[in-house]
Amino acid sequence: MNFPADGGGSPQLRMDPALAESVHQTFQTMAADLQGHSTSISSARTDIVAGAGEFSSALSAEATIFSTGWSDGLDVLSTSAGLIAHNTNQLSLDLTKVDRGGSIDISIVPQVKVP
């Protein structure tokens, strides 16, 4: 647990900086690797269709659908891994504010409309 720098307040739950860096690097590497595989699927599709010879016209549409599906999926995974990498240990949790039960008064304040 980390305590606020001013010595006051409640403890905050945060990941150890060394562990956070390891997680960050792992997901950053994963994001880059997945992006690289997406590119290689597109080039493999071209090679497969070219290698089909006289059957290339019959194979082309399906090969495009197949490669597009995999490329899109890998792009989503790459983006997700990058988001995890960049958001690792960016938030902290104040344990005293997690479960305050009925002690919080939620009042509805009427909105004033300006003409």
Side-chain angles (χ1 to χ4, degrees):
M1 279 199 227
N2 294 332
F3 292 90
D6 63 4
S10 66
Q12 295 180 337
L13 185 61
R14 289 189 69 92
M15 188 183 297
D16 179 81
L19 178 60
E21 182 58 28
S22 173
V23 170
H24 174 80
Q25 289 300 322
T26 298
F27 279 95
Q28 189 67 18
T29 301
M30 184 186 307
D33 288 347
L34 289 167
Q35 189 62 44
H37 288 304
S38 178
T39 304
S40 50
I41 285 176
S42 297
S43 63
R45 180 231 169 262
T46 303
D47 294 342
I48 291 168
V49 172
E54 64 187 85
F55 302 107
S56 63
S57 61
L59 182 64
S60 182
E62 286 77 12
T64 299
I65 292 168
F66 179 80
S67 68
T68 300
W70 273 100
S71 293
D72 289 351
L74 290 170
D75 286 345
V76 168
L77 291 172
S78 176
T79 300
S80 297
L83 289 170
I84 291 169
H86 291 294
N87 286 301
T88 297
N89 213 27
Q90 296 302 310
L91 302 174
S92 62
L93 180 61
D94 185 343
L95 297 175
T96 61
K97 295 180 181 177
V98 172
D99 186 16
R100 295 180 84 176
S103 66
I104 298 174
D105 179 30
I106 301 174
S107 303
I108 298 176
V109 179
Q111 293 187 357
V112 177
K113 293 184 180 181
V114 179

